[in-house]
Amino acid sequence: MTKGTLLYEGKAKRVYETKDKDCFIVSYKTDATAFDGKKKGSIEGKDRVNNLMSARLFEVLEEKGIETHFVKVLEEHEMVVKRLEIIPVEVIVRNVAAGGMAKKLGLKEGTPLGKPVVEYCLKSDELSDPMINEDHIEVLELADKEEIQTIRKMALKINQVLKAFFLERELNLVDFKLEFGRYQGRVILGDEISPDTCRLWDLKSGERLDKDRFRRDLGAVEESYLEVLKRVTGMIN
Ligand code: 5GP
C-alpha cells in the first residue's frame, strides 16, 4: 500500500489517502508540542515509538473485543488504519489525579481516585480544548445519546484492559486520552495510544515515563519513550 494525497497534517501525525477508499495511512512525526502549541520541540525516535506502541496496544484491545481503526504496521513509523469519521471530542480517563485535574481541583498529583473518572474535551485549538459534558456533546451534535453511552462504556473497558496490561509491565496508568470515530455505522477507537497521550509512571520509583518529561523539561525524554516501548513490546531498542 502506498501513500496518496496528504489529507491532513496535525501536530504529531500526517494522514494520507490510499487507493483503498476505506483506508488511510498514518505517518507519525517526531515533532512535539505542548501548552496549545506554545512549546515546540522534537523527540528523536518518537515517530517509531508511538507507531509501534499504538499498534501493539490496538492488537491487545482487539483481542479483548474492542474495535479499533488499526489495520497493520506499514513502516516503523507508519500504519494503515480504517477511514473514520472522527468525533471531535477528546475522551480522558483518569485513575490517579495529575496534570489538569490536579490543578483544577487542588489535588496533590499522585492522589489515587476511588474510581476511574471520564472527562470530555472539545477538540479545538482555537478554544484550547475546553472541558465539556455529555449534554454539550449532544447539543453541539458531535454525537448522539447512544453514541455517547457507547464511548463512555468503551473508554472504561479500555481503561480496565490497559491498566492491567501496563501493571504487568510495572507501569502505572495514571491517565490517558482517547479519540473515537464512526466506521460503517459503528463507533470504534481511533487516534493513538502512546507516551504522548498517556501518563505512565514507573510502578516502583514513580518516575514519569511519558510526555510530561518534555512538557516539564525533566530530561531523558527519548530514553523514557524507548523504555516504555521496550516494556510494551519486548523490543530491546
Ligand atoms: P491533562 O488534562 O491532565 O492535561 O491530560 C490528561 C491526559 O490526557 C494526559 O495523559 C495527556 O497526555 C492526555 N491529553 C489530554 N489532552 C491532550 C492533547 O491535546 N494531546 C495529547 N497528546 N494528549 C492529551
Side-chain angles (χ1 to χ4, degrees), residues 154-166:
M154 284 178 78
L156 288 170
K157 176 85 196 284
I158 292 164
N159 182 49
Q160 233 178 37
V161 173
L162 293 184
K163 220 173 111 174
F165 179 88
F166 284 123

Side-chain angles (χ1 to χ4, degrees), residues 90 92 94 98-100 129 175-177 196-199 215:
E90 295 188 342
I92 294 169
R94 301 179 186 272
D129 299 345
D175 56 34
F176 58 101
K177 185 258 301 182
D196 270 11
T197 62
C198 301
R199 283 198 173 90
R215 294 187 187 105

Side-chain angles (χ1 to χ4, degrees), residues 28 47-52 73-78 235:
Y28 288 78
D47 52 347
R48 173 175 174 266
V49 171
N50 289 7
N51 184 49
L52 298 180
V73 168
L74 198 61
E75 300 282 344
E76 284 210 310
H77 66 292
E78 285 177 352
M235 284 177 177

Side-chain angles (χ1 to χ4, degrees), residues 33-40 128:
T33 61
F35 314 120
D36 295 327
K38 284 184 209 81
K39 182 180 169 89
K40 285 194 177 77
S128 306

